[in-house]
Amino acid sequence: MNFESMNNSATNLDRLHDLALPPEISWWPLAPGWIVLLALAALLLAWALDRSWKNWRSNAYRRAALAALPSAADAAAVAELLRRTALAIAPRDVVAPLSGHAWLDWLATRSPAALSDSIRSQLTTGVYAKASTPADLKSLRDFAAQWIRTHRI
């Protein structure tokens, strides 16, 4: 190989140009598959929002009962609040005639928490007796709050 051919190859390399790249692919308009996927995501989001809104509206009676619970001054007021809450979820002809142990059993079957003997006595005889002690009233309010939050229809 002689010097002249090496010189010639250097000039050939100088004549090379960079590759011409195609323009970048744009994001818009989207391919049909992406459009279908976005439409399905929008429908799923709309369904989830609708379901959430209906759930929030259907629990309005729970929020109202929980807001009224701190103002219940005695066992009779708490019992009345429980009765009004029960009437919001069950037909009147089922709940209204219940009294005594039948009423307590109805409450107990719809609550995940057990109904203690002190709560049972406050809800049956405590509504006719003088005011309960603050500790008893607190336990009754705690049960009522838990029942309002977690009862099943």
Side-chain angles (χ1 to χ4, degrees), residues 73-115:
D74 56 359
V78 174
E80 178 188 352
L81 186 62
L82 284 172
R83 180 73 64 151
R84 286 192 345 234
T85 305
L87 286 170
I89 63 165
R92 180 171 291 280
D93 60 343
V94 172
V95 175
L98 295 175
S99 64
H101 293 293
W103 164 242
L104 297 176
D105 292 339
W106 190 90
L107 281 176
T109 58
R110 280 148 186 82
S111 174
L115 198 60

Side-chain angles (χ1 to χ4, degrees), residues 43-57:
L43 285 174
L44 182 65
L45 178 65
W47 175 80
L49 287 173
D50 181 58
R51 187 163 170 90
S52 174
W53 174 253
K54 286 179 182 176
N55 187 30
W56 183 79
R57 283 185 44 201

